[in-house]
Amino acid sequence: MRTNSALPSGSLIIRERLLRRFEDATGQLIPFVVLNAPAGSGKSTLATQLLRSPLLEQFRVYSIHGASARGQSIWHSLGRCLAAAEPAPLPDDDAYSREWVHARISALTEPTLLLLDDYHGMTTAEHDRALLALGESNPHFHVCVLARSVRVLDGPLYMHRVRVIDRNELAFTAEESLDLAAQSGVELSAGLTEAFSQADGWPVAVAAVLRTAHETENAPRRDGARIGESIPAPAPVAAHPALQRVAIDILDVLRELDPHARVVLLGASLVGSFSLDHAAELIGKPAARTQSHIDTLLQLGVLVRLAHGAGYRVHPSVRATLPDIAAQEFSTSKRKALVLRAAQEMEKSNPFDAFRIYLRSSSLAAAETVLWSNFTAITDRSDACLAALSPLNDAELFAHPTLAAARFFLEFESSTVAPKRFWHTSQLSHAGAQRRLKLNPDPADPLHIGHRMQVMIGERMQGNAPAALAIAQDIEARLTSHGRLEGPDLRTSGNNEPVLLEELAFTAFMGGDSALARRVWQRLSILMEQMSERASSDSSGGAPHATLRPGPWQHAALSGLALVESNEGDFRRGAELLAHSDQVRDEYGPAPGLAWVNAEIVRAHHAYEFRRPDLLRQAIERTLPWCDRIEQWPMLIMAEAESVRYQRGTDWALPQLRAGIAQIERERHGVGVWGGYLALYQAMLHATSGNFAASKQIMDALPARNPFVQIGRARFALFQGNNVQALLLIQRLGPAALNLRQQIDRFLIAAIAAWACGRTEEAFDTLRSAGELISRCQLSMMLRSVPFEPLAELAAAARDAGVCDVVALINSVPELARCVMRESLTQMEQRSLESMITHPSLADAAVALAIAPATVKRHRLTVYRKLKVGGREEAILQATRMGLLQRPGSSDEKGPVTPPT
């Protein structure tokens, strides 16, 4: 099975990279080199090239072949080799041979190389250490060992004394395979490239492919392709005929050499990887006996040790051929048992493959357990995971809701999946999880937390925010300070924690518990930092199949924290978190499961505060493909309306808001408390535009104890001109229970109302507090929700009094965004207003009111001024909106958003 048995020696390429491995830093031959690789790896070919190289021009070379030395001690073999030119042969006495070899090597004065081929037949711990000692006894003496395996020479105890060249180094690179093809006169084709890929650099396999290609007509080269160019490999095809022949030849050899090893090889071909225990179960032999059969396969090269952990896999060159043969020799039940046993072993080292094996074998309960334990890592391979889940029907998804949850998670973030499909999958996950919890409410069930999370998400998606929030609060209460679930049966593996924490935090935010959302997102951020540090420190180790990427989940945590801080009113801190979030996204990619949308919501709101319309455009462009499923849609359309209010005023913002709501199919979206926030935002816009009737109608439908509602009522009284009531309402709110946004609102309303009531010191103090908070949080947009003129008057007075100077801050509000306060009407002005409807002409109104026409005209002009209108029609419209006139059907407003119950 040597490479040069498949190709003429003249076709072999000289691999300088390997010849340089025999040299030390000074360009001299390394004292002790071991070529430790299976059969067919090209060890003898490399040794031949070494002997012909300039490096050994001055060396005397002695060679021993293991096959001829079997049954002899190493001392006898060495003695016979070194004494080949002696007049008399050495006696067979081992002790004499040992002394003679030591004396002969110690006396060497010229560079000498001892080449031991097929040393695997002689290797023992004693022989290996004896060779090492000989190699170090004289600087002129060098040793080169060729073996399919060695006992201790490649171990960690001797790595500083031995240069080991293993199978990976001896394997042909893609470029070397192409060079070999060119030197062999073989024309390059897509089929040949695919065959090289299957051979995976194993020299004997590459040589077999080239030999077949040389003997048969090959496919013509692609236009423009030259030997040595990289040609894209075609889709996976059947094994190359030459590789099929290699596999069959190996099986024929094993049939005579080691039948049990043959069974192990066929069984291994049916699974991705297997262990010693698995192989022992397959052939029914003890582990020690089984290891000898595995060693046979390793030495033949058809079996490869896994890079991490104790396990093996079939070499790619024969992997495509053997399963068909195994299917003929193993029964269906034996094959299934083999595969399931392998999946059990892979659950920790390769959970994704174990998950797929369970699905293919219809072991859905096992697949569900592995999925939940590794939810984040498995769903991170989105395309492959979705392909594995797609064949499942509704009954299977309902019975195993975690599988439905994974499919919903992946479909939800795919803009090409129709909403009808993923909403249906969400319902299967929700209903199935509820059923499972009812059948088995035991918290010790490994899937208990997963099912509760699925119910939580389902309730949130259906708009039942209180129920979802209650579940989130209960789960969070069971989290330790490290973000892991308490209890021996409820610990998570790190591969489901990110999605659990993200969903907990987002549910808390949508339910109105910002403190909980902040805590959990902070916990997620810390967890991802720790995982990143571990990944960096374990870059040379760890599980090879762990696909969890901390970067995108760090983006999710930072986006969520930016959302919380900005929503609470700290735009400065939100902007810092958003910038950090964007850096993480640029480096590692966006957060999974549309968690990245939180960053775009923040960006949309920062657009109007930082006067950056481009930020709003960017946010809308990024979220547009997913507009039919974004749960935060109320926040997005509020950001659009607020940007319009900043640029064009409230009268333009209200139609923009109504148009945004009309475009959303609200029955598909659970908005949590954001339905109420959306209603409050409309109430604020109506109040600032003077539409008191619509504003009152909305607020009357909202919970009276809600701090936002109480602030809204105080704002309503302020714009109505009822300053005493506004001051009383706002003073009932204690600042301790308010967030930054609410505190600013409270200070501004209280300052204007106190100023109007003649409470100057109180007005100055609250204005100063408001200015400090606005500057600290960078939230000047709050100035657009209170009357501008009295606020500017108060600011000027406070500046003149030396209390604080916020005049420039208040004057920064654009003119179109400044709110006006309409004055209340006297009794006579109210009667004059009503006469505009019943008696449009001045003469008729004067007769009806029993006053002079000039007096009627004067009162009407006063009404126009107080209502901030330019004529009779505008006055009637504005008065109707303010509730000063009652005329059925006169309102031009559409009904307000109904808040959730």
Side-chain angles (χ1 to χ4, degrees):
M1 292 179 63
R2 295 183 181 178
T3 305
N4 56 0
S5 67
L7 290 173
S9 59
S11 299
L12 299 176
I13 59 173
I14 304 297
R15 295 194 280 175
E16 294 293 339
R17 66 177 178 88
L18 291 179
L19 292 176
R20 284 195 295 270
R21 293 284 289 150
F22 289 90
E23 301 177 7
D24 60 17
T26 64
Q28 302 300 312
L29 182 67
I30 294 288
F32 206 111
V33 180
V34 176
L35 304 184
N36 184 24
S41 296
K43 301 185 296 294
S44 298
T45 300
L46 181 61
T48 300
Q49 293 176 352
L50 172 66
L51 296 177
R52 297 173 180 172
S53 70
L55 194 62
L56 265 68
E57 285 181 352
Q58 307 298 324
F59 274 74
R60 184 172 183 179
V61 179
Y62 293 93
S63 180
I64 300 177
H65 199 283
S68 62
R70 283 191 174 90
Q72 302 176 2
S73 74
I74 191 169
W75 301 111
H76 186 70
S77 300
L78 288 172
R80 288 184 59 187
C81 176
L82 295 173
E86 297 291 331
L90 288 177
D92 291 337
D93 181 72
D94 266 3
Y96 180 80
S97 297
R98 182 195 298 260
E99 293 178 5
W100 189 90
V101 167
H102 274 289
R104 183 64 180 267
I105 291 177
S106 299
L108 291 174
T109 58
E110 61 177 337
T112 303
L113 173 67
L114 175 65
L115 184 69
L116 284 84
D117 197 358
D118 271 3
Y119 178 71
H120 47 271
M122 305 172 63
T123 182
T124 64
E126 179 186 0
H127 287 175
D128 289 3
R129 295 182 62 192
L131 281 177
L132 275 171
L134 284 175
E136 295 173 348
S137 63
N138 189 330
H140 298 292
F141 184 66
H142 298 73
V143 180
C144 180
V145 174
L146 281 66
R148 297 180 185 178
S149 65
V150 291
R151 184 60 60 89
V152 299
L153 288 177
D154 62 343
L157 294 178
Y158 307 102
M159 59 187 304
H160 62 290
R161 300 160 62 182
V162 178
R163 171 69 55 83
V164 177
I165 301 177
D166 59 13
R167 177 176 195 157
N168 293 330
E169 291 186 85
L170 287 167
F172 285 121
T173 64
E175 293 76 12
E176 288 173 341
S177 296
L178 295 175
D179 289 344
L180 193 58
Q183 292 190 27
S184 302
V186 175
E187 195 166 357
L188 189 62
S189 69
L192 186 63
T193 304
E194 172 61 24
F196 283 158
S197 176
Q198 291 180 5
D200 196 36
W202 191 16
V204 71
V206 173
V209 170
L210 290 175
R211 183 178 183 182
T212 302
H214 197 270
E215 294 173 351
T216 60
E217 192 68 24
N218 214 342
R221 191 183 318 171
R222 294 185 182 182
D223 292 343
R226 300 185 304 274
I227 296 296
E229 283 190 338
S230 176
I231 295 180
V237 294
H240 189 276
L243 300 181
Q244 290 179 342
R245 187 63 201 175
V246 169
I248 293 172
D249 285 351
I250 290 172
L251 289 177
D252 288 344
V253 169
L254 289 172
R255 191 188 302 275
E256 302 297 330
L257 178 66
D258 191 340
H260 289 302
R262 183 178 186 275
V263 175
V264 171
L265 178 61
L266 289 175
S269 70
L270 297 174
V271 297
S273 61
F274 71 103
S275 67
L276 174 62
D277 292 339
H278 191 185
E281 291 178 17
L282 174 62
I283 61 176
K285 299 292 182 181
R289 289 282 304 277
T290 305
Q291 185 63 61
S292 66
H293 302 306
I294 290 178
D295 289 343
T296 298
L297 297 174
L298 290 170
Q299 291 186 18
L300 288 177
V302 289
L303 215 59
V304 181
R305 294 183 190 274
L306 295 179
H308 305 272
Y312 310 90
R313 63 178 175 85
V314 175
H315 192 272
S317 61
V318 296
R319 189 187 302 154
T321 304
L322 297 179
D324 291 337
I325 301 174
Q328 298 172 11
E329 299 193 14
F330 293 172
S331 66
T332 302
S333 59
K334 187 173 183 178
R335 293 200 306 272
K336 183 174 181 179
L338 242 170
V339 168
L340 292 179
R341 178 67 173 82
Q344 292 175 3
E345 292 186 339
M346 286 190 289
E347 285 185 7
K348 290 185 178 180
S349 63
N350 190 354
F352 181 76
D353 280 354
F355 170 69
R356 288 200 298 186
I357 289 172
Y358 285 137
L359 288 179
R360 291 170 184 168
S361 304
S362 298
S363 302
L364 301 186
E368 187 177 25
T369 302
V370 173
L371 173 62
W372 171 241
S373 298
N374 303 275
F375 193 93
T376 308
I378 289 176
T379 55
D380 193 42
R381 301 174 66 170
S382 55
D383 292 340
C385 183
L386 193 55
L389 291 167
S390 294
L392 300 179
N393 57 41
D394 285 358
E396 291 169 330
L397 292 173
F398 177 74
H400 304 280
T402 309
L403 302 178
R407 195 161 93 174
F408 168 69
F409 179 79
L410 297 172
E411 290 176 342
F412 190 70
E413 66 178 354
S414 174
S415 60
T416 60
V417 176
K420 183 177 180 180
R421 171 167 173 167
F422 63 71
W423 287 117
H424 176 67
T425 308
S426 171
Q427 292 168 359
L428 290 174
S429 171
H430 183 211
Q434 285 180 316
R435 171 182 167 274
R436 289 281 287 272
L437 288 173
K438 185 177 181 180
L439 293 175
N440 182 18
D442 184 7
D445 181 2
L447 293 173
H448 180 81
I449 290 296
H451 291 150
R452 293 207 67 197
M453 186 184 80
Q454 293 159 45
V455 173
M456 175 191 75
I457 295 172
E459 296 291 343
R460 188 188 78 213
M461 300 294 290
Q462 294 176 10
N464 191 356
L469 179 59
I471 297 174
Q473 290 170 338
D474 180 66
I475 294 177
E476 194 263 350
R478 305 173 68 186
L479 292 174
T480 68
S481 60
H482 300 292
R484 298 181 180 272
L485 292 169
E486 295 178 339
D489 299 317
L490 296 175
R491 292 191 299 270
T492 53
S493 67
N495 278 337
N496 61 13
E497 286 176 27
V499 71
L500 172 61
L501 294 175
E502 169 61 29
E503 293 297 340
L504 284 180
F506 186 66
T507 300
F509 179 79
M510 295 301 289
D513 192 341
S514 296
L516 172 58
R518 181 185 287 108
R519 286 198 305 273
V520 179
W521 266 319
Q522 286 174 341
R523 187 169 291 169
L524 176 59
S525 178
I526 293 171
L527 179 64
M528 291 303 100
E529 289 176 359
Q530 293 172 346
M531 285 189 174
S532 296
E533 292 172 0
R534 287 199 296 269
S536 299
S537 60
D538 297 340
S539 58
S540 59
H545 300 285
T547 58
L548 173 59
R549 299 172 299 146
W553 288 103
Q554 181 70 11
H555 179 246
L558 293 170
S559 300
L561 289 171
L563 183 65
V564 170
E565 298 300 341
S566 297
N567 181 64
E568 293 284 282
D570 195 342
F571 270 35
R572 187 182 300 277
R573 176 60 180 154
E576 293 172 356
L577 287 165
L578 181 62
H580 189 187
S581 169
D582 287 345
Q583 291 176 357
V584 173
R585 173 176 177 146
D586 291 343
E587 185 172 358
Y588 299 106
L594 296 189
W596 55 268
V597 171
N598 288 331
E600 303 311 315
I601 299 297
V602 175
R603 201 182 319 280
H605 281 272
H606 286 188
Y608 57 75
E609 177 60 34
F610 301 125
R611 305 187 183 190
R612 291 276 307 279
D614 59 298
L615 296 180
L616 179 62
R617 288 194 298 271
Q618 180 181 347
I620 293 175
E621 288 173 1
R622 284 184 174 178
T623 57
L624 186 60
W626 293 271
C627 63
D628 57 3
R629 66 200 69 185
I630 294 175
E631 294 181 73
Q632 311 94 313
W633 67 267
M635 299 187 71
L636 188 59
I637 62 174
M638 280 193 283
E640 292 182 83
E642 192 61 28
S643 291
V644 171
R645 183 164 78 116
Y646 166 76
Q647 295 173 355
R648 308 184 72 177
T650 303
D651 290 339
W652 287 88
L654 275 164
Q656 173 72 29
L657 185 66
R658 290 197 297 269
I661 296 171
Q663 292 174 5
I664 301 293
E665 297 178 0
R666 296 187 66 250
E667 66 274 9
R668 294 187 179 181
H669 298 267
V671 298
V673 298
W674 289 97
Y677 292 153
L678 188 59
L680 278 166
Y681 182 68
Q682 288 193 84
M684 183 271 292
L685 292 180
H686 284 306
T688 57
S689 67
N691 192 345
F692 300 140
S695 181
K696 186 175 185 301
Q697 180 186 354
I698 295 173
M699 285 190 294
D700 286 346
L702 294 170
R705 294 186 178 181
N706 184 291
F708 278 109
V709 176
Q710 295 181 51
I711 291 173
R713 292 188 183 280
R715 189 191 329 276
F716 179 81
L718 186 68
F719 275 93
Q720 275 191 317
N722 195 339
N723 296 299
V724 174
Q725 184 182 7
L727 189 58
L728 291 174
L729 287 172
I730 211 67
Q731 286 177 338
R732 293 177 187 173
L733 289 169
L738 304 179
N739 61 33
L740 294 172
R741 187 186 296 270
Q742 293 169 330
Q743 290 181 44
I744 294 173
D745 245 342
R746 176 180 179 273
F747 286 141
L748 290 174
I749 294 172
I752 295 173
W755 177 252
C757 293
R759 305 178 67 161
T760 305
E761 295 300 325
E762 181 180 344
F764 286 170
D765 289 342
T766 50
L767 178 65
R768 179 177 59 225
S769 299
E772 290 172 353
L773 266 184
I774 290 173
S775 298
R776 191 185 84 194
C777 300
Q778 206 158 350
L779 196 62
S780 64
M781 59 88 59
M782 303 300 295
L783 298 170
R784 303 199 287 271
S785 301
V786 292
F788 178 80
E789 290 184 3
L791 182 63
E793 178 184 329
L794 170 60
R799 180 192 58 190
D800 295 341
V803 176
C804 61
D805 187 359
V806 293
V807 172
L809 178 64
I810 292 170
N811 287 337
S812 67
V813 178
E815 289 193 16
L816 291 176
R818 294 175 180 178
C819 295
V820 298
M821 190 168 75
R822 295 163 176 85
E823 302 176 45
S824 58
L825 304 181
T826 64
Q827 183 179 1
M828 199 62 204
E829 290 165 353
Q830 177 67 32
R831 291 179 61 193
S832 298
L833 171 64
E834 293 168 355
S835 71
M836 295 182 192
I837 299 176
T838 58
H839 303 87
S841 69
L842 290 175
D844 291 344
V847 172
L849 296 175
I851 58 176
T855 304
V856 174
K857 182 178 181 180
R858 186 175 71 252
H859 286 318
R860 286 190 176 184
L861 290 175
T862 303
V863 169
Y864 297 161
R865 178 180 58 79
K866 288 186 175 183
L867 297 186
K868 311 293 185 184
V869 296
R872 187 181 69 85
E873 293 296 332
E874 287 186 54
I876 293 173
L877 176 60
Q878 182 61 43
T880 303
R881 296 169 67 190
M882 294 175 65
L884 301 177
L885 292 176
Q886 300 297 327
R887 189 174 68 175
S890 64
S891 176
D892 68 332
E893 302 294 339
K894 296 183 180 180
V897 171
T898 303
T901 58

